[in-house]
Amino acid sequence: MGFAETFKALADPVRRDILTMLRDRRMSAGEIGSHFDMTGATVSYHLNILKKAGLLFEEKEKNYIFYSLNTSIVEEVMVWLADLRGNTETGASEGGNCDEKNKG
Amino acid sequence: MGFAETFKALADPVRRDILTMLRDRRMSAGEIGSHFDMTGATVSYHLNILKKAGLLFEEKEKNYIFYSLNTSIVEEVMVWLADLRGNTETGASEGGNCDEKNKG
DNA sequence: TAGGTATTTAGAAATTTTTCTAAATACCTA
DNA sequence: TAGGTATTTAGAAAAATTTCTAAATACCTA
């Protein structure tokens, strides 16, 4: 999947707003779009980028397509950031490149 | 400061590589640049974007400028993502908009 | 001061992203 | 089937990003 796509998806304010809107419940493409001052086509473009990044699930029902948040991808990003930051609390290392092995 | 700048900074693979390189030690602009197949000017452009996003500290010494990671901004991003994900373990809510208050 | 190394700034070209309008697809209802 | 609603796709225009070369700045050494 790749972090490139995921971070790029998160880099746009419209797309972050969409994700926030989906925090507690799924919403249809139209309902999502009604919160923005842009065409449905543009909203669809943003939804597609989020979907390709793995950040959204979609369910088709009747005439609608409902989107919801894929929190597992959110967690993957958090893990990447946690590794970047380094392990501040425990002192344990989790696969980053601390110099422990080169010490002696 | 704003998440827009921070997430945009994180969205580029070159810039994520730079941050990863700075995980355990500071490096000069030149040393950072030597890891990439691009001009110093381009590296400087990327460093500037990371700096404006608050992700880097810089220290001038002699002829050099040393860059290091600002982990507090990394943590801010993690907090934003944790809020987006929702509190999976504790069940407590931390300022998101769960519907608790509208229940009765 | 003169010359050298490290880094940034300026300006332009190439690429990517964002947005729109118009048209297409899909599915539902009568 | 005909007509309607919801959403996406296509193509083009506008804006932003990334990269380069060339020049500027800054500071160090002799």
Side-chain angles (χ1 to χ4, degrees):
Chain A
M1 184 177 320
F3 283 109
E5 266 176 326
T6 309
F7 272 111
K8 258 189 196 166
L10 287 165
D12 185 274
V14 169
R15 293 193 290 263
R16 285 197 306 283
D17 282 352
I18 291 173
L19 294 176
T20 301
M21 287 163 50
L22 296 175
R23 221 184 72 110
D24 353 84
R25 67 179 192 292
R26 71 179 198 169
M27 293 172 75
S28 70
E31 190 181 1
I32 292 167
S34 71
H35 288 253
F36 297 100
D37 187 20
M38 49 176 61
T39 66
T42 299
V43 172
S44 183
Y45 159 80
H46 285 297
L47 288 171
N48 187 246
I49 284 177
L50 288 167
K51 202 166 48 184
K52 282 195 289 192
L55 285 159
L56 296 186
F57 292 124
E58 90 180 15
E59 305 165 274
K60 305 191 183 195
E61 263 174 54
K62 290 186 155 191
N63 233 356
Y64 302 85
I65 303 178
F66 288 97
Y67 290 94
S68 54
L69 184 63
N70 181 357
T71 56
S72 71
I73 298 292
V74 176
E75 298 220 27
E76 282 185 31
V77 177
M78 288 176 70
V79 168
W80 187 89
L81 291 169
D83 183 55
L84 179 64
R85 174 200 52 178
N87 292 289
T88 54
E89 287 296 327
T90 65
S93 84
E94 305 219 347
N97 57 340
C98 84
D99 286 336
E100 210 66 30
K101 56 173 172 285
N102 298 323
K103 229 197 220 148
Chain B
M1 184 177 320
F3 283 110
E5 267 176 325
T6 308
F7 272 112
K8 258 187 195 164
L10 287 165
D12 185 274
V14 169
R15 293 193 291 264
R16 285 198 306 282
D17 283 351
I18 290 173
L19 295 176
T20 300
M21 286 164 50
L22 296 175
R23 221 184 73 112
D24 355 82
R25 68 180 193 291
R26 70 180 198 169
M27 293 172 74
S28 70
E31 191 181 359
I32 292 167
S34 72
H35 288 253
F36 297 100
D37 187 18
M38 50 176 61
T39 66
T42 299
V43 172
S44 183
Y45 160 80
H46 285 297
L47 288 171
N48 187 245
I49 284 177
L50 289 167
K51 202 165 50 182
K52 283 195 288 194
L55 285 160
L56 296 187
F57 292 125
E58 90 181 14
E59 306 166 275
K60 305 191 184 194
E61 264 175 53
K62 290 185 155 192
N63 232 356
Y64 301 85
I65 304 178
F66 288 98
Y67 289 95
S68 54
L69 184 63
N70 182 357
T71 56
S72 71
I73 298 293
V74 176
E75 297 219 27
E76 281 184 31
V77 177
M78 288 176 71
V79 168
W80 187 88
L81 291 168
D83 183 55
L84 179 64
R85 172 199 54 177
N87 291 290
T88 53
E89 287 295 329
T90 65
S93 83
E94 306 218 347
N97 58 341
C98 84
D99 286 336
E100 211 65 31
K101 56 173 171 285
N102 299 321
K103 232 194 216 152

